[in-house]
Amino acid sequence: MTVHPTDVDRPHDLVGIGIGPFNLSLAALADGLHDGIDSAFYDRNNAFSWHPGLLIDGTTLQVPFLADLVTLADPASPWTFLNYLKARDRLFPFYFSERFHIQRAEYDAYCRWVSRQLPGLHFGHQADAVRWNPEHGLFEVDFTRLDPEGEAEALGRAYTRNVVLGIGTEPYVPDPLKPLVATPAAPVIHSGDYLEHRDRLLKAGHITVIGSGQSGAEIFLDLLRARPVGAERIHWLARTEAFAPMEYSKLGLEHFTPDYARYFHALPQQVRDGLVPRQWQLHKGIDNTTLTAIHDELYRRSLHGGWPDAVLTPGVSVRTAGRVAVTRVELHLEHAQQATRTRLTTDAVVLATGYRERPLDRILAGLDPYMRRDHAERPRVDEHYRIMLDESVTGSVYVQNAERHSHGVGAPDLGLAAWRSATILNHLTGKEPYPLPRRTAFTSFGLDGRTRNPSMPTPRGMVPLTEAR
């Protein structure tokens, strides 16, 4: 590895690891700073790509188009979705389409448009390690430059005062199903790879979709529409007690506001850990439009008598799984409420089992001696989205979409992307280049006012029974 003296003498102000929507948002807002910051962002992929396996025709974002990379922090930015439409000469068609929720494929195209024009984005660069260099008072970021085939081409090192991690999530496969994914004889794929394998799946005699979230619903609907009437041969299984709709009421959506993130962050850790699983319907339910489309399609297929050959069963978990005659899969199922068990033989399985935050331990192994952790050994994250490090480390390591345990269900939500990026940049610069709203929700979360902004009025007639500690 070759390190030139200028690399140490002229460090970056910020190095970003990962270029998904969240770090792309940060890069776009950083580009708009008048004083400017010297930033570099690295990603191992050759170009920007956002869940390509799930860009199914007609599927839409579950947030309005205003939840783009920058608008909710800087609507005058050149990197807004509306400016993208203007640059593509599509502003009037979009205006007349009256769409509030855009298609996923269009969001992906918008992000790729931004990524191709922003300076300081380095695709084909895999970040390998982050260390603190106390001699220089800087972070060292080691990376590998990759060729178009993904093979190592050269090693490099960047020095920086601050780091932001936006390494995203990875597909989650439940333990009973992991052995099936490792062998290619019968298609057992994660939903993230759905479109790549769609043609092969459609040729299968019988297909099973596992998972009760939005991706599972969209894939089931897409397969259903593509199968012959009366010969659909699809099972849709879910562990949840129902194919439940997403909580999408206006006040329910206020759980995705900065006000709620601040309230959640101030709660004791054990309370936060108990809250997140109970709030699954805020982010793991199914859009009501998709549920309606599924029912409409099933109903349409029953118009001439008979029922479609599609089985939808919630409340079911997969105990074990294995292969039968090499090309088929046998799932051992258990129904919790009935306390019954059965076996299902199928030709293909789609695992719509979601994603999990990528562990930070590998990339941050060099910072482990400096890192402060909570009772579950997770990094502690402060209100500025900064990992809490030993005071001897003068730089900051920020995280994006790795802080659900500290900031709540809004961590992976695109609607908070611009606000979180602005929060990070405001803290990093020590100024307020992006003034942020002091109040964002009608709901007052909590009684004692510890997380209430000064602009929020104290509810009338509310007298504290105990002093806030």
Side-chain angles (χ1 to χ4, degrees):
M1 181 181 300
T2 302
V3 179
H4 302 287
T6 54
D7 295 335
V8 180
D9 297 338
R10 300 176 185 174
H12 298 292
D13 296 313
L14 177 68
V15 163
I17 299 175
I19 309 177
F22 297 135
N23 264 357
L24 188 61
S25 164
L26 187 66
L29 288 174
D31 181 64
L33 295 178
H34 295 300
D35 296 336
I37 63 172
D38 183 343
S39 62
F41 291 79
Y42 300 99
D43 193 286
R44 72 183 317 276
N45 294 312
N46 289 325
F48 182 90
S49 180
W50 183 72
H51 296 303
L54 287 171
L55 301 181
I56 302 168
D57 285 346
T59 57
T60 61
L61 291 185
Q62 292 174 281
V63 292
F65 73 89
L66 292 173
D68 62 13
L69 300 172
V70 294
T71 292
L72 292 177
D74 183 14
S77 167
W79 306 117
T80 64
F81 175 72
L82 290 179
N83 201 45
Y84 158 74
L85 292 176
K86 183 176 183 295
R88 300 294 294 271
D89 207 17
R90 297 181 58 238
L91 199 53
F92 269 88
F94 179 74
Y95 165 63
F96 289 117
S97 72
E98 297 185 344
R99 292 182 182 274
F100 201 46
H101 292 80
I102 62 174
Q103 293 195 26
R104 282 195 197 148
E106 188 167 30
Y107 177 79
D108 176 65
Y110 153 68
C111 289
R112 285 189 280 112
W113 174 78
V114 175
S115 71
R116 287 194 294 265
Q117 299 181 79
L118 276 179
L121 304 187
H122 303 277
F123 290 98
H125 287 66
Q126 174 182 284
D128 300 313
V130 178
R131 290 182 301 277
W132 175 248
N133 185 323
E135 180 182 353
H136 297 293
L138 297 169
F139 292 105
E140 299 174 348
V141 179
D142 291 342
F143 60 83
T144 303
R145 192 169 72 239
L146 308 175
D147 65 20
E149 284 72 44
E151 299 297 326
E153 195 171 63
L155 301 177
R157 175 177 295 164
Y159 288 85
T160 180
R161 297 182 181 89
N162 303 283
V163 176
V164 58
L165 298 173
I167 59 177
T169 56
E170 58 188 7
Y172 170 70
V173 177
D175 288 338
L177 295 160
K178 285 180 179 178
L180 297 181
V181 178
T183 52
V188 180
I189 59 114
H190 190 271
S191 57
D193 299 317
Y194 172 68
L195 285 183
E196 180 184 349
H197 297 274
R198 183 176 182 272
D199 290 343
R200 185 183 177 196
L201 289 167
L202 289 175
K203 295 175 183 176
H206 183 276
I207 309 171
T208 301
V209 179
I210 299 175
S212 62
Q214 183 68 20
S215 297
E218 289 171 349
I219 289 170
F220 174 79
L221 178 60
D222 185 60
L223 291 172
L224 181 64
R225 286 170 169 168
R227 305 282 276 189
V229 174
E232 294 85 2
R233 303 199 67 203
I234 310 173
H235 268 66
W236 184 16
L237 309 176
R239 189 174 55 182
T240 54
E241 295 179 354
F243 295 107
M246 184 86 73
E247 168 54 67
Y248 209 73
S249 67
K250 303 304 181 186
L251 291 179
L253 289 175
E254 291 195 343
H255 288 84
F256 299 96
T257 59
D259 282 3
Y260 184 77
R262 282 188 287 262
Y263 161 77
F264 186 91
H265 187 271
L267 293 173
Q269 186 64 64
Q270 65 270 24
V271 177
R272 299 198 301 242
D273 287 347
L275 260 179
V276 171
R278 298 201 303 270
Q279 294 175 328
W280 65 271
Q281 210 165 339
L282 288 169
H283 60 103
K284 290 186 177 180
I286 303 168
D287 177 75
N288 190 58
T289 304
T290 307
L291 287 173
T292 301
I294 289 172
H295 192 275
D296 287 348
E297 181 64 25
L298 292 169
Y299 180 75
R300 185 184 69 82
R301 289 167 178 256
S302 69
L303 291 179
H304 302 293
W307 292 76
D309 188 6
V311 179
L312 295 74
T313 310
V316 173
S317 60
V318 179
R319 294 176 53 250
T320 60
R323 295 198 178 271
V324 179
V326 182
T327 59
R328 306 199 77 195
V329 173
E330 185 175 84
L331 304 173
H332 292 233
L333 309 176
E334 181 172 19
H335 195 284
Q337 293 176 354
Q338 287 184 328
T340 54
R341 294 179 177 180
T342 188
R343 292 179 295 178
L344 172 66
T345 303
T346 185
D347 299 298
V349 179
V350 181
L351 304 175
T353 46
Y355 293 80
R356 296 291 186 273
E357 294 173 359
R358 254 191 199 96
L360 303 178
D361 293 340
R362 183 191 66 81
I363 193 74
L364 295 183
L367 296 179
D368 190 63
Y370 304 99
M371 200 178 303
R372 297 180 180 178
R373 298 180 180 272
D374 65 13
H375 70 274
E377 291 301 307
R378 297 166 300 201
R380 292 193 176 189
V381 183
D382 72 11
E383 65 271 23
H384 305 293
Y385 296 91
R386 180 179 56 167
I387 291 178
M388 298 176 69
L389 302 172
D390 186 82
E391 292 181 357
S392 63
V393 180
T394 56
S396 295
V397 177
Y398 302 94
V399 292
Q400 303 220 64
N401 195 13
E403 74 287 352
R404 185 180 295 179
H405 65 286
S406 62
H407 285 72
V409 293
D413 191 79
L414 294 175
L416 284 174
W419 176 81
R420 179 173 51 197
S421 294
T423 300
I424 291 171
L425 289 172
N426 286 350
H427 181 266
L428 186 150
T429 60
K431 304 175 183 178
E432 198 178 18
Y434 292 108
L436 296 173
R438 301 179 69 84
R439 183 176 182 181
T440 55
F442 291 111
T443 305
S444 297
F445 299 102
L447 291 176
D448 60 20
R450 280 180 291 179
T451 59
R452 189 178 296 118
N453 287 316
S455 64
M456 296 177 67
T458 301
R460 288 184 177 182
M462 188 170 288
V463 179
L465 298 179
T466 59
E467 291 295 326
R469 296 180 181 179

